[in-house]
Amino acid sequence: MNKNKMEQVAALFGKKLNEEFHFKVGKTVMKAKWTEMGLMSTDFAGRWWPCCYMPALLTGRAVIVDD
């Protein structure tokens, strides 16, 4: 069985699994966290959903703003 790599991915950004942070894409700031299932972000009601901005974070088009 393959090992889940999300803990290492979170560490690339200086974060731990389930540690909440904010990132910015353009003028939009979003609340997010890395989980074993991948990057999750909140909707307008505060519910957690899978987030599609992982490529933007990896390529620098989105930036973490909590640091």
Side-chain angles (χ1 to χ4, degrees):
M1 182 175 205
N2 293 332
K3 185 175 185 253
N4 189 311
K5 305 289 190 218
M6 283 300 130
E7 188 171 3
Q8 291 91 334
V9 173
L12 287 172
F13 295 94
K15 303 297 177 192
K16 296 182 180 184
L17 286 183
N18 298 307
E19 177 183 353
E20 295 179 12
F21 61 92
H22 292 87
F23 69 91
K24 186 174 183 179
V25 181
K27 294 181 180 180
T28 303
V29 177
M30 301 181 72
K31 183 177 181 180
K33 64 182 176 182
W34 296 101
T35 71
E36 289 184 352
M37 298 298 293
L39 183 63
M40 307 289 282
S41 65
T42 56
D43 64 11
F44 63 92
R47 297 172 295 208
W48 290 99
W49 294 91
C51 181
C52 64
Y53 285 103
M54 187 171 167
L57 284 165
L58 290 168
T59 60
R61 289 182 293 127
V63 294
I64 295 175
V65 294
D66 287 346
D67 295 337

